Amino acid sequence: MAKNLVIVESPAKAKTIGGFLGSDFLVKSCFGHIRDLSKSDISVDVENNFQPKYEVSPDKKDIIKELTKLSKEAETVWLASDEDREGEAISWHLLEALNLNQDNTKRIVFHEITKPAILKAIDSPRKIDYNLVNAQQARRVLDRIVGYELSPVLWKKVKPSLSAGRVQSVAVRLLVERERDITAFSTSSSFRVVALLSFQHEGKSYTLKATLPRKIQTYEEAETFVNACNNANFTIIDVEKKPSRRTPSAPFTTSTLQQEASRKLGFSVSQTMVVAQKLYEAGRITYMRTDSVNLSDTAIQSAKNQINSAYGERYHKARQFTTKSKGAQEAHEAIRPTYMEQTPEKGDTQENRLYELIWKRTLASQMADAEIEKTVVKIAISGLEEQLEALGEVVIFDGFLKVYSESFDDAPEEEEVSNLLPPVAKGMRLELNELTATQKFSSPPPRYTEAALVKKLEELGIGRPSTYAPTISTIQKRNYVVKEEREGTPRNYKVITLKDSSVSDTEKTEITGHEKNKLFPTDIGTVVNDFLVENFEQIMDYNFTAKVEKEFDEIAEGLQEWTLMLKSFYQPFIKTVSKTLEESERATGARHLGVDPKTGKNIYVRIGRYGALAQIGENEDEEKKFSNLRQGQRLETISLEEAIDLFKLPRKLEMFEDKDINIGTGRFGPYIRHDSKFYSIPKDEDPLEITTERAIEIILAKRKADAEKVIKIFNETDPLIQVLNGRWGPYISKGKENFKIPKGTDPNSLNLTDVEAIIADDANKPKKMVGKAKAATAASKKTKSKKK
DNA sequence: CAGTGAGCGAGCTTCCGCTTGACTT
């Protein structure tokens, strides 16, 4: 039986610390918070000083039972939860829930998991800091009040099951407002001049790319400029060299790791956290939910050794970074490899790729600045005042760039700086190969990726490292936001080219506005946001969290009483809630688009029971017509013409084989229905334009494909086994399951034994969790919690 | 691979922040 029981939050941490302390210490984990407000109702007695009603969380019952038993047997209990507001509260909840004795309970803290840090902590225990605990209670209760008062308002005024909260609602607001900025953006264009110039040097020929620093506003002006360059002389009049330096970024926090993993590896924020968790559990990296850029002394030392032996001392520079982010609590270290000596492993797994990113970033943070020489070459054009410029950048000493270079969201579209300039000198005459003036359009502000939204939230001090990924999932789960790819649209641009002393003019096409893995607000997200902004401006203010955080800090310092803080928030807030419930209209996002030319009635769009709809006629009218909006159409941007088009379907064509042909649009897009069978209309065809002849063609083509679908049927089996021709070639179908045919096998030659062998072989392969299986797990969990 | 869109009223939904597994047939 151990004399000492140490309780930490994470089991992986418990294992490590257990190794540092002797056999007199038993180290266990409590798995984070162990008590919380009950989920079933608000569980805060607002009449009685905001007394919270805590209960042991259902999934923590067993661990509390075990910890209670162990604590009874121990001489001393050491509460070693994290050194921040939430951690302090966890210690206090443990004290209460385990019924610990104040006399033999000690509170210790450390923010790095090293043996000296732990031993030092054991040497200097303290008492629980009740001011800090109260700051956490204020945080918890305020979030509960906001969430559990606002959400029911939405159920009544917008739609059941919606949610609102201090963090999620502001996250959605950012997306809604960005979307409006994009819609309102009016693009302008200008012309960018690029010249390719060549010269001879010691018998070799070189090419230099130069640009006009100014952008030319109009087409006419650009044409004049290009013409003026025709037959002009180009001379280098200045070569200026400027030294510059680049400094490595700080080691990773949760937020910067999510951003870089998104940019460099294409991970979603939750994917990053799952992979990082695995690395952490395997002991390969430090804790992955942190807002600190701090590195322990041992980490700095081992990075130094690594750099010196691999690259030489010139590449090393010890650095300690300081956190700039708002509201950081710094209970942990930065995210870094546990052992810098463990160099990245070969193999293209997600874990190896993320580990390599962390390893390189950490190492680079302890490396020397990169020294860069920038060169600006100025080129005069005879007969013109303006000069061309060629920019070059040469890395004189690579320093940290040897291992790591950070990516940025707003990186320039085209590389305007060539790495290495050819050997140029003042006075050189250059030959013009080609000069172009290309029309460039200004771009609207970018849509957020998941990681960019995390970055923004962190800047505003909203949310915590442990909640960034869940918040992003929540707003998608509520369907306030969708992450998707959207196709761009073609756009023409002009190019004026000067070549071989002649000027020509061409029009080219580019695709603009193509988006991939970007967050888009939905109609319901927009309606909810507008409703909340109108009625609860205080909560929706981007500075709300920062303001209450300041008060939480005052509570933590003992300068303010937590229940008084809550009272001054609650009284006006609850008045606004009841006022909104009594006075505000249902929010439907209704817009009046105009008048239907056919009927003369008004056309509206709004949110209905099943999503966005268009409506002809008033709500009170007996005869009104409805239609769903199509995929990609939004309440806010749909035009009258588009809405009118919606009512042109379904339409009836002529009869074929004595049956009607109907054109409609369903969940999967436009379709042809004939004899109660469905035929989808190809993407590039307009369902309003489809003729009877074309419809019959599509029907016959589908029949033919279906007829050729079956290659073989084995009638003697149950369920039926077939070899079929599918969209991606031949495959085997057994009941509802499908199986691949191994490459190089002729599907016509397969007999029943072959096919059964393929099916049996597939069963031996490790099964991946796919969409349906996951959904099933989630559903069963839900049923379980409902029963309770 | 549709068409629903209103209202009655049962019972339900909901927050943020800590931490990881998961009753198996």
Side-chain angles (χ1 to χ4, degrees):
Chain A
M1 179 177 59
K3 276 193 202 156
N4 296 281
L5 174 66
V6 181
I7 304 175
V8 296
E9 291 182 41
S10 143
K13 212 182 198 179
K15 209 174 139 200
T16 314
I17 295 173
F20 294 149
L21 298 169
S23 56
D24 280 351
F25 288 81
L26 175 63
V27 187
K28 299 294 279 185
S29 85
C30 67
F31 299 84
H33 273 298
I34 48 135
R35 290 204 309 185
D36 193 13
L37 304 169
S38 159
K39 254 170 69 76
S40 56
D41 60 10
I42 196 160
S43 295
V44 174
D45 191 348
V46 293
E47 307 281 297
N48 188 14
N49 254 338
F50 300 93
Q51 269 318 294
K53 282 174 249 168
Y54 292 116
E55 61 177 36
V56 172
S57 310
D59 55 334
K60 299 293 163 56
K61 292 246 160 81
D62 291 348
I63 188 74
I64 287 304
K65 206 179 279 173
E66 188 192 353
L67 289 176
T68 306
K69 181 169 169 281
L70 292 170
S71 67
K72 293 271 178 296
E73 297 165 359
E75 279 173 25
T76 308
V77 179
W78 304 79
L79 299 176
S81 50
D82 295 346
E83 187 189 18
D84 59 10
R85 199 164 66 200
E86 299 297 327
E88 201 67 21
I90 289 175
S91 278
W92 173 68
H93 280 301
L94 282 168
L95 186 81
E96 299 237 313
L98 303 183
N99 223 342
L100 298 178
N101 184 343
Q102 294 266 14
D103 302 332
N104 66 353
T105 303
K106 292 176 175 169
R107 168 81 171 120
I108 53 169
V109 293
F110 36 83
H111 41 243
E112 55 182 64
I113 316 296
T114 55
K115 193 169 180 178
I118 309 298
L119 294 179
K120 196 176 152 211
I122 295 276
D123 268 346
S124 45
R126 59 169 174 84
K127 294 270 172 222
I128 284 181
D129 180 345
Y130 281 91
N131 288 330
L132 202 49
V133 171
N134 288 339
Q136 192 276 346
Q137 295 201 87
R139 199 282 303 155
R140 180 66 191 95
V141 169
L142 180 126
D143 280 337
R144 171 53 68 92
I145 290 172
V146 170
Y148 273 45
E149 289 292 349
L150 284 191
S151 301
V153 176
L154 295 179
W155 304 342
K156 291 199 184 81
K157 298 293 182 181
V158 188
K159 222 175 106 168
S161 303
L162 296 173
S163 67
R166 175 177 57 82
V167 172
Q168 58 168 285
S169 297
V170 178
V172 174
R173 181 178 188 180
L174 284 165
L175 296 168
V176 169
E177 292 190 341
R178 174 60 55 88
E179 197 64 27
R180 289 197 171 129
D181 289 345
I182 294 170
T183 310
F185 183 80
S186 68
T187 185
S188 62
S189 76
S190 59
F191 286 79
R192 187 145 186 78
V193 175
V194 178
L196 292 176
L197 302 148
S198 64
F199 62 95
Q200 304 284 325
H201 180 74
E202 293 176 351
K204 279 187 187 167
S205 70
Y206 296 91
T207 309
L208 185 65
K209 184 176 160 189
T211 59
L212 185 71
R214 179 177 71 99
K215 285 177 185 166
I216 300 178
Q217 291 311 311
T218 66
Y219 176 79
E220 289 72 28
E221 212 190 322
E223 202 173 30
T224 311
F225 182 87
V226 174
N227 278 318
C229 289
N230 199 357
N231 298 319
N233 294 323
F234 295 84
T235 318
I236 294 179
I237 52 164
D238 191 32
V239 178
E240 193 192 348
K241 293 189 173 174
K242 277 187 254 174
S244 83
R245 309 175 80 79
R246 273 165 69 187
T247 305
S249 305
F252 280 131
T253 60
T254 303
S255 146
T256 54
L257 177 68
Q258 288 171 344
Q259 290 161 44
E260 275 287 86
S262 163
R263 288 185 289 239
K264 287 207 157 90
L265 311 178
F267 289 3
S268 70
V269 300
S270 61
Q271 203 179 351
T272 299
M273 295 315 283
V274 168
V275 177
Q277 176 89 31
K278 282 185 192 152
L279 290 170
Y280 170 67
E281 283 168 9
R284 296 179 69 192
I285 62 168
T286 55
Y287 197 56
M288 64 281 152
R289 289 184 276 265
T290 177
D291 51 24
S292 170
V293 288
N294 192 61
L295 292 176
S296 71
D297 293 340
T298 46
I300 289 179
Q301 188 57 43
S302 73
K304 180 181 175 180
N305 296 340
Q306 191 70 30
I307 294 161
N308 287 350
S309 69
Y311 309 111
E313 281 179 23
R314 195 183 165 207
Y315 278 89
H316 173 256
K317 182 175 179 191
R319 300 170 198 266
Q320 191 58 270
F321 295 83
T322 45
T323 300
K324 277 174 278 166
S325 65
K326 225 187 238 180
Q329 308 206 2
E330 303 203 69
H332 307 275
E333 272 190 79
I335 305 172
R336 61 162 174 93
T338 323
Y339 307 103
M340 286 309 296
E341 304 78 47
Q342 277 185 13
T343 50
E345 288 169 19
K346 294 260 184 300
D348 201 25
T349 64
Q350 290 191 337
E351 277 154 77
N352 285 341
R353 293 171 76 203
L354 193 69
Y355 181 82
E356 183 179 13
L357 196 64
I358 295 168
W359 187 86
K360 287 183 169 176
R361 172 90 163 210
T362 310
L363 201 72
S365 80
Q366 297 302 311
M367 290 177 75
D369 286 357
E371 289 165 30
I372 288 156
E373 186 180 79
K374 288 187 173 168
T375 309
V376 182
V377 179
K378 295 210 164 136
I379 301 155
I381 313 168
S382 64
L384 283 175
E385 291 268 307
E386 289 182 274
Q387 299 162 358
L388 298 177
E389 268 184 21
L391 303 176
E393 213 179 72
V394 179
V395 176
I396 306 287
F397 173 62
D398 53 1
F400 77 94
L401 291 178
K402 197 162 199 89
V403 298
Y404 188 86
S405 136
E406 191 178 6
S407 311
F408 296 94
D409 284 336
D410 46 7
E413 270 180 41
E414 52 183 309
E415 206 49 59
E416 293 191 350
V417 178
S418 55
N419 286 333
L420 199 62
L421 284 178
V424 285
K426 201 170 160 180
M428 264 182 177
R429 278 286 292 272
L430 304 169
E431 201 68 38
L432 181 68
N433 296 354
E434 188 183 77
L435 184 142
T436 53
T438 307
Q439 189 179 21
K440 299 276 177 190
F441 294 86
S442 57
S443 0
R447 289 202 173 79
Y448 285 100
T449 61
E450 289 187 347
L453 184 58
V454 168
K455 183 183 181 191
K456 185 70 188 173
L457 289 173
E458 187 188 38
E459 280 168 15
L460 292 168
I462 300 172
R464 304 278 313 129
S466 68
T467 60
Y468 293 137
T471 300
I472 302 285
S473 317
T474 300
I475 59 177
Q476 292 181 68
K477 232 185 281 163
R478 298 264 173 276
N479 195 31
Y480 291 154
V481 164
V482 286
K483 180 171 85 173
E484 55 188 30
E485 176 165 7
R486 291 207 185 159
E487 281 176 31
T489 48
R491 175 171 67 189
N492 292 337
Y493 66 99
K494 295 195 168 97
V495 185
I496 309 169
T497 308
L498 164 59
K499 200 170 183 179
D500 303 328
S501 297
S502 86
V503 176
S504 61
D505 191 349
T506 49
E507 194 158 59
K508 293 187 175 176
T509 306
E510 63 186 349
I511 298 293
T512 177
H514 174 237
E515 296 278 34
K516 211 177 167 184
N517 282 334
K518 293 292 175 64
L519 298 175
F520 295 79
T522 60
D523 285 321
I524 189 73
T526 308
V527 169
V528 166
N529 175 70
D530 293 355
F531 179 84
L532 291 173
V533 168
E534 191 179 331
N535 294 290
F536 299 96
E537 177 55 38
Q538 181 199 15
I539 309 292
M540 297 299 284
D541 188 326
Y542 291 124
N543 292 315
F544 177 66
T545 291
K547 281 180 196 155
V548 291
E549 278 291 341
K550 219 173 135 200
E551 303 210 54
F552 297 151
D553 286 347
E554 286 174 17
I555 295 168
E557 285 164 40
L559 302 173
Q560 201 181 155
E561 219 275 309
W562 72 283
T563 58
L564 287 180
M565 182 254 156
L566 284 174
K567 194 173 165 192
S568 67
F569 163 75
Y570 183 77
Q571 285 179 339
F573 172 74
I574 202 67
K575 265 187 202 144
T576 315
V577 169
S578 20
K579 184 165 167 266
T580 307
L581 282 172
E582 278 165 30
E583 295 175 8
S584 83
E585 293 275 313
R586 270 192 86 81
T588 63
R591 274 178 69 217
H592 177 227
L593 296 186
V595 175
D596 176 25
K598 251 194 200 158
T599 59
K601 290 184 178 175
N602 284 320
I603 299 193
Y604 301 91
V605 288
R606 62 176 172 91
I607 298 255
R609 267 206 289 179
Y610 313 100
L613 61 87
Q615 172 180 340
I616 300 183
E618 308 302 319
N619 284 336
E620 303 78 47
D621 289 357
E622 289 266 318
E623 285 194 15
K624 47 185 188 260
K625 281 165 82 180
F626 298 102
S627 168
N628 283 329
L629 298 206
R630 299 236 179 91
Q631 272 248 300
Q633 289 182 329
R634 298 192 54 220
L635 285 187
E636 217 163 303
T637 51
I638 189 172
S639 67
L640 177 63
E641 290 68 35
E642 287 167 333
I644 291 170
D645 275 350
L646 291 174
F647 293 93
K648 294 185 176 157
L649 290 179
R651 54 192 267 265
K652 205 185 254 188
L653 301 181
E654 287 161 43
M655 304 266 265
F656 171 58
E657 295 174 346
D658 297 330
K659 299 267 167 46
D660 283 332
I661 301 180
N662 284 295
I663 310 284
T665 180
R667 276 194 289 167
F668 305 125
Y671 62 83
I672 298 166
R673 199 180 52 188
H674 175 256
D675 194 13
S676 59
K677 287 193 188 71
F678 290 88
Y679 307 85
S680 21
I681 296 174
K683 253 191 184 170
D684 52 348
E685 287 182 58
D686 185 347
L688 295 177
E689 303 288 325
I690 298 264
T691 59
T692 309
E693 291 69 43
R694 177 66 188 134
I696 292 172
E697 241 175 72
I698 293 173
I699 292 169
L700 293 177
K702 173 93 189 310
R703 283 188 191 165
K704 187 157 172 264
D706 283 347
E708 287 167 359
K709 194 181 164 191
V710 180
I711 299 173
K712 245 175 203 178
I713 302 187
F714 300 104
N715 274 323
E716 60 271 35
T717 60
D718 184 43
L720 202 61
I721 297 180
Q722 292 170 291
V723 183
L724 301 174
N725 226 333
R727 244 207 296 182
W728 296 288
Y731 67 98
I732 296 164
S733 126
K734 177 185 180 185
K736 281 183 179 170
E737 283 185 288
N738 296 332
F739 304 89
K740 266 191 207 161
I741 295 174
K743 274 183 190 157
T745 314
D746 176 12
N748 291 300
S749 71
L750 291 170
N751 61 35
L752 186 56
T753 330
D754 300 335
V755 171
E756 281 177 333
I758 292 171
I759 294 174
D761 192 44
D762 185 86
N764 293 331
K765 284 182 191 161
K767 283 260 155 67
K768 266 192 200 168
M769 269 287 245
V770 285
K772 273 187 185 167
K774 265 188 199 168
T777 329
S780 68
K781 268 187 190 168
K782 212 172 179 184
T783 345
K784 192 189 165 195
S785 64
K786 261 187 186 172
K787 276 178 193 161
K788 289 185 176 176

